[in-house]
Amino acid sequence: MKIASVIGTRPNFVKAAPVSRALRKKFDELIIHTGQHYDYEMDKIFFDELQIPVPDYHLGVGSGLHGFQTGEIMKKVEKVFVEEKPDLVLVYGDCNSTLAGALVASKLHIKVAHIEAGLRSFDKNMPEEINRALADHCSDLLFCPTKTAVNNLDREGLIEGVYLTGDVMVDALLHNKDISAQSKIIEERGLKSKHYIVATVHRQSNTDNKKNLKSIVAAFCELSERIIFPMHPRTEKFLKRYGLFDDLRKKVNIIKPLGHIDFLKLINNAKKILTDSGGLQKEAYILKVPCITIRDNTEWVETVEDGWNVLVGADKGKIIEIGNTFAPKRKQRHVFGDGGASEKIVKIMGDLQ
Ligand code: UD1
């Protein structure tokens, strides 16, 4: 069986690494990189560090408005699918590359498999919510990380081809955690384990909204703990545009986006995490680092239900109060699986051949 994996963003790369390792034991894999992320720190470093095979195709689409970016990927990926005739197209998560790959494959009657299927934040203002729901409805195989995800699909009438596999991010974390122990980021940055907060902000609803971004910056400037902030290029662009960058830099340790190995070491040793990322809420949970989420909703509801993640929106007062005081009290359930999701996914694909 020939499988074409379509990937394009940083979170796709992290998930594709363990899946690709498992896939290649049984099938032929073709990697199509859309080029949605392209800066060295957002792209190439992940392929190098996580030993993801060099893409067979690089579509080089780059940035743009959602319609433009999704459309460019669709035009270019269609040509590759027509030429390569894969038996199955594999997409990950909820970015524009996910939707474009799933939509084009389904229109060409190529089977689609979606990893991280069934996630819902129930917030249609998030471009990711549209991407994940539409990708699910284009898919023949829906690999769900959690029971909640299976139930979400069930409510939408998606029952056939739905599999509860556990989360491939657990596979990635278990594989990369030991490697990350070698990272020297803590010493290099003059940090002390469990004496700093890691912050990341890149969600469109926070970065492209001056009121929210101003409120987040004001809160970060007043938090008592030292903050280290690996900054997404989108966030840097908007902070500069709104004249907020210099204020933030005076109080917060802003650094370039990190490779995955340094980043894992950094978060594993953090006292708390402040983020609007989806994947990071889950990584924090798995590593047992308290997480404060700068959003009003989350698709990773289990992390909140278990009391290890708290939603504070972009509210300055809440970020400061909860940021200074939050300490999880409850034990975690075992919700994201045991690290064997990639192998399970490959086995299911093999059984269906
Ligand atoms: C995308 C995903 C989001 C995911 C995130 C991880 C969508 C709709 N969103 O958001 O779900 O959480 O990736 O980072 O697909 N840019 C650069 N260099 C890069 C990449 C981006 O400078 O390598 C800048 C550009 O100014 C670009 C902006 O960031 O316009 C947004 O990039 P884009 O890939 O469109 O979305 P993300 O915000 O990264």
Side-chain angles (χ1 to χ4, degrees):
M1 181 153 72
K2 184 171 174 182
I3 296 177
S5 299
V6 179
I7 53 178
T9 60
R10 198 166 57 165
N12 288 168
F13 308 145
V14 174
K15 291 165 207 156
V19 176
S20 178
R21 259 195 309 277
L23 269 182
R24 284 169 188 244
K25 291 184 203 157
K26 262 199 166 156
F27 306 117
D28 292 332
E29 189 195 25
L30 194 72
I31 294 186
I32 304 169
H33 186 327
T34 65
Q36 180 172 345
H37 284 174
Y38 45 85
D39 284 350
Y40 176 74
E41 301 87 6
M42 302 287 288
D43 172 18
K44 182 87 175 31
I45 190 169
F46 288 80
F47 283 79
D48 295 345
E49 284 188 352
L50 305 181
Q51 294 176 335
I52 306 166
V54 176
D56 300 272
Y57 290 87
H58 198 296
L59 308 182
V61 297
S63 299
L65 292 172
H66 287 273
F68 173 84
Q69 189 179 55
T70 312
E72 284 296 297
I73 301 171
M74 287 176 69
K75 283 194 293 193
K76 293 186 172 177
V77 87
E78 184 172 54
K79 275 194 191 145
V80 179
F81 291 166
V82 167
E83 196 169 303
E84 292 282 351
K85 299 185 180 47
D87 301 296
L88 185 131
V89 165
L90 184 57
V91 294
Y92 293 85
D94 55 18
C95 64
N96 289 341
S97 300
T98 314
L99 174 60
L103 199 51
V104 171
S106 69
K107 292 206 179 234
L108 290 171
H109 305 295
I110 301 169
K111 288 220 175 319
V112 181
H114 185 201
I115 290 186
E116 223 175 62
L119 273 290
R120 296 290 181 271
S121 66
F122 302 100
D123 176 1
K124 283 197 176 170
N125 288 317
M126 279 181 85
E128 292 81 6
E129 181 74 355
I130 307 296
N131 290 342
R132 54 173 87 100
L134 296 183
D136 283 340
H137 284 263
C138 291
S139 294
D140 302 278
L141 295 174
L142 299 104
F143 296 123
C144 297
T146 60
K147 188 78 182 67
T148 312
V150 174
N151 293 341
N152 288 338
L153 293 178
D154 188 73
R155 263 198 302 277
E156 293 174 23
L158 294 174
I159 295 157
E160 243 178 80
V162 173
Y163 298 90
L164 176 61
T165 57
D167 199 319
V168 298
M169 289 270 289
V170 179
D171 308 13
L173 250 183
L174 293 182
H175 186 267
N176 297 325
K177 208 175 138 192
D178 290 347
I179 305 171
S180 84
Q182 294 153 20
S183 157
K184 296 274 173 283
I185 185 87
I186 307 290
E187 298 86 325
E188 277 166 18
R189 297 280 167 188
L191 298 164
K192 218 172 131 199
S193 184
K194 302 295 166 187
H195 281 80
Y196 61 89
I197 290 176
V198 174
T200 78
V201 176
H202 73 271
R203 193 67 47 213
Q204 193 178 307
S205 57
N206 285 331
T207 54
D208 305 19
N209 177 319
K210 188 175 179 184
K211 188 170 153 269
N212 283 357
L213 199 55
K214 218 174 153 185
S215 166
I216 294 166
V217 167
F220 282 12
C221 289
E222 285 189 35
L223 278 166
S224 46
E225 205 75 50
R226 176 174 179 186
I227 299 180
I228 182 148
F229 189 163
M231 191 169 284
H232 190 294
R234 168 200 277 282
T235 315
E236 182 172 340
K237 186 169 81 184
F238 281 95
L239 282 168
K240 287 183 174 161
R241 184 178 296 174
Y242 300 147
L244 298 165
F245 188 79
D246 290 332
D247 284 349
L248 185 66
R249 196 168 43 179
K250 280 184 209 139
K251 299 275 188 175
V252 167
N253 196 178
I254 298 173
I255 60 173
K256 280 210 163 293
L258 291 172
H260 197 58
I261 298 304
D262 278 342
F263 190 67
L264 272 189
K265 174 89 179 234
L266 190 72
I267 59 172
N268 199 22
N269 285 279
K271 183 171 180 183
K272 287 170 202 164
I273 288 170
L274 266 164
T275 190
D276 61 6
S277 152
L280 187 47
Q281 293 172 53
K282 210 172 24 175
E283 284 169 332
Y285 178 93
I286 299 165
L287 294 171
K288 297 199 168 58
V289 180
C291 184
I292 297 137
T293 296
I294 310 167
R295 284 171 51 184
D296 296 318
N297 48 55
T298 180
E299 52 284 3
W300 300 108
V301 288
E302 297 85 355
T303 61
V304 176
E305 287 165 2
D306 275 12
W308 279 78
N309 183 12
V310 55
L311 302 174
V312 293
D315 184 297
K316 179 186 163 192
K318 277 194 193 162
I319 298 174
I320 296 170
E321 192 204 323
I322 298 179
N324 281 333
T325 57
F326 181 50
K329 292 176 192 67
R330 265 177 281 146
K331 263 198 163 171
Q332 294 187 350
R333 289 168 297 166
H334 189 68
V335 280
F336 295 114
D338 54 9
S342 308
E343 296 288 348
K344 268 188 208 152
I345 287 167
V346 170
K347 181 167 185 323
I348 294 164
M349 287 175 172
D351 291 348
L352 291 174
Q353 263 192 111

